[in-house]
Amino acid sequence: MVQAKRQMKRFVSVLLIALLVAMLFAGCAGDTLTPENSDPGTSDPVATQTPSGGIQDQTSEEAAQAGASTEAGGLIQSPVTEADFAAYDAIDPGLYSYDPASATNDYDGDIVIVQADDMVTFDTTVTTLLHNADIQYEIYSRLFVATPENAYVPELCESYELVSDTEWRFTIHKGVKFHDGSVLTIDDVVYSLNRAKDSAMMKNLYAPVVAITKVDDDTISITTNGPYPGLTAALGHAASSILSQEYAEWCIANDDWTKPIGTGRYKFDSREIGNYVKLVRFDDYFNQDDPARNASLTIKVIPEATARTIAVETGEAHVNVDFSTADYDRVLADGKLKIWARAGGTPHGLGMDVTVGWFTNKLVRQAVSYAIDREACLEVGYDGLGVVSYTPLAPHCIGYVNNPLDMYSYDVEKAKQLMTEAGCTGFSTQLIVISAIDEKVAVVIQSNLAEIGINVEIVRIEPSVFTTTVLEHGAPLYINNWGCFRDPDMFLGRRFGTVGLGAANRNWYATEELDAMIVEARSTFDEEERAVLYKAIQEYLAVDMPEAELYVPNLFMLTSKEVKGAVINHDRPYRYYSLHF
């Protein structure tokens, strides 16, 4: 009887919250917050969601038939495995693999993409926002790139070897050209990687690296302070993009990154801040077996979610990489557009600045986590299309445990008990958000925390000032998301370690014990051993609770029915170079 009353109370609460959110946002189309940078790709099985929220599996062949068609729309699982891509190419040769003789694939089209947010900069070491890195990935090349299965494969790197547990050597392709016609040198590679290593945003990823040096005109050596299994992933990060030393030094001296020069598949054409960026195919890209499949990319900024959907419906754009689930049912029922989908890998959470007020108290932070109705948050934010989560790791990560120690659930009475134990009778605070979707979720959290005496004021700010606000301790609570590398070492230190303070560690949380646990977990190439260590780290964070994780939404990409070559990784659509008609 008690359980039945609790369930009925929860149902009524969710209904009332949903009605409140609907009234607050009536007529307003929500935007999306792109996740923080990560490695593109995951080894997760691909699954797509039906309108009711159930899982709909497609075989590689079924997905390929739907994705290769230009006659009809519908729901399509994005290809992930080599078998998926092979199935597409078996039906339509040249669809994903490049075939210049293909009569069914047009590689000379001009693709228009819409996204929610404008990029910040062409400087690769300033921000980790993925809507910024997505464009950089097309302009600049890196030593390694990630496949959708999260395997890191060479790009500029022709070959490499692990000389010992603490030294790697990488040989670079010869004759690689920059967009201005100059030739890439090994000195450019050493300069670019050392610049990434010394940047504030990359301190954790390069923390194990002792030195990056030139061996000869084709080879570099990277030495580490111990085994570093994640090095190839670090070298595939956007911040590890290879720049011309001469160009980069000029940009730094003149504080001008407005005309980027790289070695990637696209050259920069033009940009209008707040409106668009246009890139054109670089015909001298060094790997002509895998060039751009379109003549140009124009990435337009449309903040409103429904306006982005309408842009694809009307033909103003071909691709929407920030498709909102608010339009999901309508578009799917209409059947005129393609919705590409896969299981997500970006945990969304409620961050807490552990240096501010009552959030210095671990019991209060635990109470916050118990008080939140995560299922209601997922329903309001993403129409239930995803999974509830209690850990900063995504399902594809090494050692992932959804609810460490089976510690948390939606339990208001437990939350009240913890507040009493902490001696806290309640307080007022602010919750910072930077997108309409997060603002809707914040209304749920506001209602939840009111039940335990925490009065929350929701404050929406511009994405461009979010980092500064956090660094100035102006975000006691904030809604956060982070696209996860498969290897947790690529983000745990940055987010919860001493090395991330003043940069990506937005909670201002760090302990010597956790720092040591993170170092231990990276210090072996044995993945099973590492999984055990990452499980222990998740349990440690569950107890200290610097951030109450909420859910991992599934991912969607909207295209016109004529578009082929779409790919979604674990946190966002990517590989724009493969899009074509």
Side-chain angles (χ1 to χ4, degrees):
M1 178 64 71
V2 173
Q3 181 66 21
K5 288 182 178 179
R6 181 177 295 175
Q7 290 175 344
M8 178 57 69
K9 180 181 178 182
R10 179 179 183 180
F11 172 77
V12 172
S13 297
V14 172
L15 181 60
L16 290 173
I17 290 168
L19 289 171
L20 176 60
V21 170
M23 288 188 291
L24 284 172
F25 292 91
C28 298
D31 56 2
T32 59
L33 171 62
T34 48
E36 293 296 315
N37 207 348
S38 63
D39 61 323
T42 174
S43 56
D44 265 359
V46 177
T48 60
Q49 294 280 351
T50 67
S52 63
I55 296 294
Q56 173 181 299
D57 291 318
Q58 291 178 318
T59 66
S60 296
E61 290 73 19
E62 290 169 340
Q65 290 282 357
S69 171
T70 60
E71 301 300 322
L75 188 63
I76 309 164
Q77 70 176 26
S78 177
V80 176
T81 67
E82 290 184 9
D84 294 337
F85 287 98
Y88 273 91
D89 284 321
I91 291 171
D92 186 359
L95 198 156
Y96 280 103
S97 63
Y98 178 63
D99 181 3
S102 174
T104 56
N105 292 282
D106 177 6
Y107 298 143
D108 292 315
D110 298 300
I111 300 290
V112 178
I113 298 170
V114 289
Q115 64 181 34
D117 299 302
D118 194 12
M119 70 175 303
V120 178
T121 177
F122 292 108
D123 183 352
T124 56
T125 61
V126 170
T127 179
T128 58
L129 290 172
L130 264 181
H131 67 262
N132 196 82
D134 287 339
I135 298 172
Q136 293 176 344
Y137 282 134
E138 305 298 341
I139 298 172
Y140 305 115
S141 302
R142 291 149 301 284
L143 268 63
F144 289 82
V145 293
T147 70
E149 288 189 280
N150 203 52
Y152 277 84
V153 297
E155 185 184 16
L156 288 175
C157 175
E158 184 176 39
S159 63
Y160 67 102
E161 64 174 328
L162 183 60
V163 178
S164 69
D165 281 353
T166 59
E167 183 184 3
W168 302 63
R169 291 199 175 188
F170 303 90
T171 300
I172 311 304
H173 280 286
K174 294 181 176 67
V176 176
K177 290 183 180 180
F178 285 104
H179 299 152
D180 63 358
S182 61
V183 177
L184 172 71
T185 70
I186 206 71
D187 293 319
D188 294 320
V189 176
V190 172
Y191 169 82
S192 299
L193 296 181
N194 274 311
R195 183 169 180 268
K197 176 179 179 291
D198 295 337
S199 67
M201 286 293 176
M202 297 296 289
K203 284 190 297 184
N204 181 67
L205 266 65
Y206 280 88
V209 174
V210 175
I212 303 169
T213 57
K214 174 180 176 179
V215 175
D216 56 39
D217 288 345
D218 302 315
T219 308
I220 65 168
S221 169
I222 298 182
T223 55
T224 59
N225 58 13
Y228 185 24
L231 181 59
T232 56
L235 295 175
H237 194 283
S240 297
S241 295
I242 304 303
L243 312 179
S244 160
Q245 181 174 352
E246 180 181 2
Y247 156 74
E249 289 178 342
W250 184 93
C251 291
I252 294 167
N254 292 275
D255 191 24
D256 183 357
W257 290 87
T258 58
K259 297 180 179 178
I261 297 172
T263 62
R265 293 176 176 84
Y266 295 91
K267 298 186 296 184
F268 172 77
D269 179 85
S270 58
R271 181 190 182 195
E272 184 177 307
I273 294 175
N275 189 6
Y276 75 90
V277 175
K278 183 174 182 180
L279 311 177
V280 296
R281 181 166 55 204
F282 179 44
D283 290 329
D284 285 334
Y285 178 66
F286 77 96
N287 184 3
Q288 286 300 302
D289 291 331
D290 191 21
R293 315 298 202 270
N294 53 72
S296 71
L297 294 171
T298 300
I299 300 97
K300 292 185 176 181
V301 179
I302 300 181
E304 297 81 19
T306 296
R308 291 193 300 275
T309 298
I310 293 171
V312 180
E313 289 175 322
T314 60
E316 177 189 347
H318 307 109
V319 179
N320 176 3
V321 295
D322 286 321
F323 178 59
S324 169
T325 55
D327 297 323
Y328 180 93
D329 288 349
R330 177 180 65 80
V331 171
L332 198 61
D334 188 50
K336 295 179 181 178
L337 302 177
K338 293 177 179 177
I339 300 178
W340 305 75
R342 73 172 289 173
T346 300
H348 291 230
L350 179 69
M352 294 171 264
D353 186 334
V354 302
T355 70
V356 173
W358 278 101
F359 297 119
T360 61
N361 190 302
K362 178 171 66 179
L363 296 178
V364 171
R365 299 197 299 268
Q366 290 177 357
V368 167
S369 185
Y370 277 107
I372 296 173
D373 186 345
R374 288 164 170 82
E375 289 186 9
C377 289
L378 179 61
E379 184 64 35
V380 167
Y382 291 89
D383 298 287
L385 300 176
V387 295
V388 165
S389 181
Y390 300 86
T391 174
L393 272 64
H396 63 273
C397 292
I398 299 170
Y400 165 81
V401 179
N402 181 273
N403 192 350
L405 300 172
D406 290 323
M407 185 169 175
Y408 291 100
S409 61
Y410 176 45
D411 190 336
V412 178
E413 296 307 313
K414 176 68 173 178
K416 290 178 178 179
Q417 177 186 335
L418 287 165
M419 292 286 282
T420 300
E421 290 179 24
C424 179
T425 58
F427 58 95
S428 296
T429 190
Q430 289 185 331
L431 169 52
I432 306 299
V433 298
I434 62 174
S435 77
I437 287 179
D438 289 347
E439 194 169 7
K440 291 193 292 184
V441 173
V443 174
V444 179
I445 295 171
Q446 181 185 53
S447 175
N448 291 158
L449 296 187
E451 293 194 63
I452 62 171
I454 301 177
N455 178 41
V456 173
E457 176 190 6
I458 300 169
V459 179
R460 183 168 175 179
I461 63 175
E462 291 298 317
S464 59
V465 300
F466 177 66
T467 298
T468 302
T469 302
V470 170
L471 292 178
E472 294 177 352
H473 297 282
L477 290 175
Y478 58 90
I479 293 182
N480 182 50
N481 61 53
W482 194 279
C484 292
F485 287 82
R486 180 177 179 272
D487 186 341
D489 187 45
M490 297 294 100
F491 60 88
L492 280 176
R494 298 164 73 193
R495 298 197 60 208
F496 303 105
T498 301
V499 71
L501 294 173
N505 186 339
R506 297 168 179 166
N507 303 301
W508 294 95
Y509 167 86
T511 69
E512 291 183 2
E513 184 177 359
L514 182 59
D515 285 346
M517 294 171 73
I518 292 171
V519 170
E520 182 184 7
R522 80 159 63 105
S523 300
T524 176
F525 290 103
D526 186 328
E527 195 162 297
E528 290 186 3
E529 183 178 344
R530 298 183 74 210
V532 172
L533 295 170
Y534 286 124
K535 178 175 180 289
I537 288 173
Q538 291 170 87
E539 292 172 349
Y540 185 94
L541 288 170
V543 174
D544 265 18
M545 189 45 62
E547 181 169 299
E549 305 304 334
L550 302 173
Y551 48 77
V552 180
N554 286 337
L555 298 167
F556 303 97
M557 179 181 186
L558 182 70
T559 74
S560 61
K561 64 184 180 182
E562 296 83 10
V563 169
K564 301 180 181 180
V567 185
I568 305 176
N569 64 23
H570 67 275
D571 52 20
R572 190 167 168 81
Y574 84 133
R575 277 176 47 166
Y576 297 165
Y577 70 85
S578 71
L579 294 167
H580 62 280
F581 301 116

